[in-house]
Amino acid sequence: KSPDMAKTLLKIQRYFRRKPVRFFSLILLYLTAGSLVFLHAGFIGESGPGGRRRRDNAVASGNPNSLSDARGLGVIRRGFKDRSGRRYGPPWMKKTGEERQEAAPKYIGCYIDDTKRRALRGASFYDYKKMTVFRCQDNCAERGYMYAGLEFGAECYCGHKIQAPNASESECNMDCKGEKSNLCGGANRLSIYRLELSQESARRYGSAIFKGCFRRPANVSLALPFSAVIQNMSVDKCVDMCTEKEIDVTAAIPSPLFSLHEPENEDVCVHRCQGEEFENCGNDEYFVVYQTQVQDKRCMDRHFLSVRAKHLMALASFPGAGNTWTRHLIELATGFYTGSYYFDGSLYNKGFKGERDNWRSGRTICIKTHESGRKEIEAYDSSILVIRNPYKALMAEFNRKYGGHIGFASQAHWRGKEWPEFVKNYAPWWASHTVDWLTYGKNVHVVHFEDLKKDLFSKLKEMVQFLGLKVSEDRLLCVEGQKEGNFKRSGLRKLEYDPYTPEMRANIDKQIIIVNAALRKRTMSGIPQEYMPR
């Protein structure tokens, strides 16, 4: 038998030596194995009355009686679960699937979403490429909201209150951008889910940010949208009350009557709360103000210009000078989308809808550009020029180049040859870019990034006026509470050493002096003192 077995093995070996035959045999085996897996999953998915198709339809209809647990939608692609509670699927996905099942959303219905009065008046975020029901749910749950709604298949809204469904289910049939589903809303239609929050989420929901001590406004009834007397007052009780009423700041929404721009010394607010002896609750003359997690809606609506602009307005800056963050502020302050000379898919996916428009379309309020040179600059009728400290701008652009819009470059990049080469090439560009815009720009409004951070309200107000728009103080006050945005890097990552060598600093300081002279030549205030060489 041994010689016969040897002959058989030899034949098999010769068979697989023929490359085409071997290749197609392996492909056939792979497809066969995959088919068996899908067939197995299909049989399990159809176990029970109605099978998988009935499960999807029950969730889509929003009929709680059609399905014992509408949360079945959340586990369809992560393994299957029958009515007995048994779970099927790869063992390495079991833990994740179970966690998802515990926090899965329950579909409520389809709602009309009026941009002036949102069906869900809370936080919001966008992803025009990867949005899913679970991404929206997780985004809302981690902020402690009770409901999550999807619109246009890519926009996620969160809130605490909701009325009865007021739209047909057929109007909420748009697929999610990140998965195939008929439960991601439609045009101005929200598919809304109720979330099951953990105790941890509820505790996060109760947290608030201390804003300071402020003098009580002269006319409280006009300045404050809501007030109440609570026995045994504490910060938690006040925060909970304002959050329930969907008020952005405990005591008030910032307004011209109570702007929160002039904080007092905190010593004047030292008055113990009746319900908590270790907390301060202010007194008859002063308020202690906290910001809740409820989102201020006064500046959230954005749209394209109704009449195409005849004059092109540039939003120019050196890369890393905060152009994307400034766009975010301008959109909130004006209610109009900004455009771009380029197309960045990641920015479009995060809500910058003007990113896809041609920069000459005239539908956006201003156009982002990093270009320089006479021909490129003279294409614009006016420009807002954002200038940032080159030491910070160079590091920010290096982080963006090697770590993405909100990421960071690795230590290997900082210590490698990339950083010295980057500074050598980009430091002169920082100066030449600014000088070109000051030289060839027809009508230039200069904004220093650091000044915008320090005094956002007044600097943003100046930009809105330069754009030729009427200033809305309510919108500007709203922007102050929403100023971070999705593309503002959370501070430069602290390095263990100074990345700038003496040679690099000498080069950068020389560029600072050049830019300062160009600003003075145009009869503008020079470079901020903090930029200047020491």
Side-chain angles (χ1 to χ4, degrees):
K1 290 183 179 179
S2 296
D4 293 339
M5 185 177 293
K7 288 180 181 180
T8 302
L9 292 173
L10 183 62
K11 288 181 181 179
I12 293 173
Q13 185 180 16
R14 288 175 178 173
Y15 174 80
F16 279 103
R17 278 180 179 174
R18 290 179 285 176
K19 291 183 179 179
V21 175
R22 180 173 58 186
F23 175 77
F24 286 111
S25 298
L26 291 174
I27 291 293
L28 182 62
L29 289 171
Y30 177 79
L31 293 174
T32 302
S35 299
L36 289 172
V37 171
F38 279 111
L39 284 172
H40 176 68
F43 285 126
I44 294 171
E46 292 180 5
S47 64
R52 176 177 175 175
R53 181 177 301 175
R54 183 171 296 176
R55 289 174 181 236
D56 285 344
N57 290 338
V59 177
S61 68
N63 182 3
N65 297 323
S66 302
L67 185 64
S68 61
D69 187 355
R71 292 175 292 174
L73 174 68
V75 296
I76 286 175
R77 291 176 180 82
R78 297 169 175 81
F80 302 91
K81 185 174 182 179
D82 64 14
R83 292 177 185 271
S84 66
R86 288 185 60 196
R87 181 170 183 82
Y88 302 90
W92 60 85
M93 297 180 73
K94 184 174 181 181
K95 183 176 180 181
T96 302
E98 289 174 349
E99 290 172 351
R100 290 284 194 182
Q101 175 68 9
E102 290 175 0
K106 180 178 180 181
Y107 181 67
I108 300 298
C110 185
Y111 290 75
I112 297 173
D113 191 34
D114 184 352
T115 55
K116 294 183 179 180
R117 185 171 179 81
R118 290 283 182 193
L120 288 177
R121 302 172 62 191
S124 64
F125 84 110
Y126 313 87
D127 196 324
Y128 290 91
K129 188 176 181 180
K130 299 178 181 178
M131 180 61 72
T132 65
V133 173
F134 274 113
R135 284 202 65 196
C136 182
Q137 168 215 344
D138 292 344
N139 179 76
C140 296
E142 71 181 10
R143 290 165 171 79
Y145 287 102
M146 295 299 298
Y147 296 95
L150 293 110
E151 186 174 359
F152 291 105
E155 302 178 8
C156 173
Y157 296 92
C158 313
H160 289 296
K161 295 182 179 180
I162 197 67
Q163 304 299 322
N166 55 7
S168 168
E169 295 296 327
S170 61
E171 298 177 64
C172 285
N173 61 356
M174 189 171 287
D175 287 343
C176 293
K177 296 299 181 180
E179 66 179 353
K180 292 292 183 181
S181 171
N182 290 328
L183 296 170
C184 272
N188 298 319
R189 297 294 184 271
L190 280 175
S191 291
I192 292 182
Y193 297 82
R194 181 180 176 87
L195 308 179
E196 295 185 4
L197 301 179
S198 63
Q199 291 184 353
E200 182 181 358
S201 295
R203 287 195 298 271
R204 283 202 299 267
Y205 169 67
S207 64
I209 302 170
F210 176 71
K211 300 294 289 185
C213 177
F214 296 87
R215 185 176 293 276
R216 184 185 181 97
N219 193 326
V220 175
S221 60
L222 289 177
L224 308 186
F226 174 82
S227 63
V229 177
I230 299 178
Q231 297 296 323
N232 297 321
M233 175 63 79
S234 68
V235 173
D236 282 343
K237 288 181 179 179
C238 186
V239 168
D240 289 343
M241 179 192 72
C242 291
T243 305
E244 182 181 349
K245 296 292 182 181
E246 298 187 344
I247 297 174
D248 178 54
V249 178
T250 59
I253 295 175
S255 70
L257 294 177
F258 194 42
S259 65
L260 305 185
H261 281 164
E262 299 177 355
E264 303 286 346
N265 189 308
E266 293 179 24
D267 292 341
V268 300
C269 281
V270 177
H271 182 78
R272 299 304 179 193
C273 299
Q274 293 180 0
E276 179 53 68
E277 61 177 322
F278 299 107
E279 296 175 349
N280 291 332
C281 277
N283 51 45
D284 293 338
E285 295 184 35
Y286 298 95
F287 282 138
V288 175
V289 178
Y290 291 81
Q291 183 175 357
T292 71
Q293 295 186 17
V294 176
Q295 191 174 40
D296 192 341
K297 308 300 181 304
R298 293 173 294 174
C299 59
M300 298 310 295
D301 60 302
R302 291 171 292 169
H303 47 86
F304 291 102
L305 295 173
S306 56
V307 178
R308 293 181 183 270
K310 296 180 180 179
H311 301 283
L312 292 179
M313 174 74 70
L315 179 62
S317 73
F318 174 79
N323 197 303
T324 302
W325 180 56
T326 307
R327 287 177 68 185
H328 166 73
L329 298 176
I330 290 174
E331 290 193 359
L332 294 183
T334 65
F336 295 113
Y337 288 117
T338 58
S340 177
Y341 183 78
Y342 320 97
F343 171 69
D344 188 327
S346 64
L347 292 179
Y348 177 82
N349 292 336
K350 295 298 182 182
F352 288 93
K353 291 188 177 180
E355 191 76 15
R356 182 172 284 183
D357 262 37
N358 182 283
W359 67 283
R360 290 183 178 273
S361 70
R363 297 205 308 158
T364 53
I365 194 65
C366 60
I367 301 110
K368 167 186 174 177
T369 179
H370 298 310
E371 301 300 305
S372 55
R374 182 169 187 169
K375 181 180 178 181
E376 288 77 8
I377 294 171
E378 289 183 345
Y380 299 93
D381 301 288
S382 301
S383 60
I384 295 173
L385 176 61
V386 182
I387 303 175
R388 186 179 187 183
N389 186 328
Y391 286 100
K392 299 292 181 61
L394 289 170
M395 293 179 72
E397 176 58 12
F398 190 73
N399 276 319
R400 187 207 63 80
K401 187 173 182 180
Y402 291 99
H405 279 285
I406 56 175
F408 296 89
S410 67
Q411 289 289 336
H413 288 125
W414 288 105
R415 294 185 179 275
K417 63 181 181 179
E418 294 91 349
W419 172 240
E421 191 69 23
F422 178 87
V423 174
K424 179 182 177 181
N425 295 325
Y426 276 64
W429 180 22
W430 174 85
S432 65
H433 179 279
T434 305
V435 171
D436 280 359
W437 279 94
L438 292 172
T439 303
Y440 304 119
K442 299 172 186 175
N443 184 20
V444 182
H445 177 73
V446 173
V447 177
H448 292 287
F449 177 84
E450 288 74 16
D451 291 343
L452 185 60
K453 287 182 64 179
K454 291 176 185 175
D455 189 7
L456 186 143
F457 185 89
S458 63
K459 295 301 178 184
L460 191 54
K461 182 178 180 178
E462 291 173 4
M463 281 195 280
V464 173
Q465 291 172 331
F466 185 77
L467 290 167
L469 299 175
K470 184 179 178 180
V471 174
S472 167
E473 288 199 17
D474 279 341
R475 290 193 76 99
L476 292 178
L477 290 166
C478 170
V479 174
E480 289 185 309
Q482 321 287 335
K483 62 183 178 181
E484 295 304 320
N486 293 329
F487 278 92
K488 185 176 182 297
R489 196 175 278 105
S490 57
L492 294 177
R493 177 176 288 175
K494 299 294 184 183
L495 296 175
E496 297 176 355
Y497 64 98
D498 182 358
Y500 292 104
T501 65
E503 293 78 12
M504 292 179 186
R505 288 186 173 276
N507 182 17
I508 295 170
D509 289 347
K510 182 173 67 174
Q511 309 306 327
I512 290 174
I513 294 171
I514 292 172
V515 171
N516 186 60
L519 285 167
R520 297 290 187 187
K521 184 177 180 180
R522 190 136 180 176
T523 65
M524 297 179 177
S525 59
I527 286 289
Q529 194 60 38
E530 61 188 273
Y531 293 20
M532 298 302 289
R534 294 175 177 81

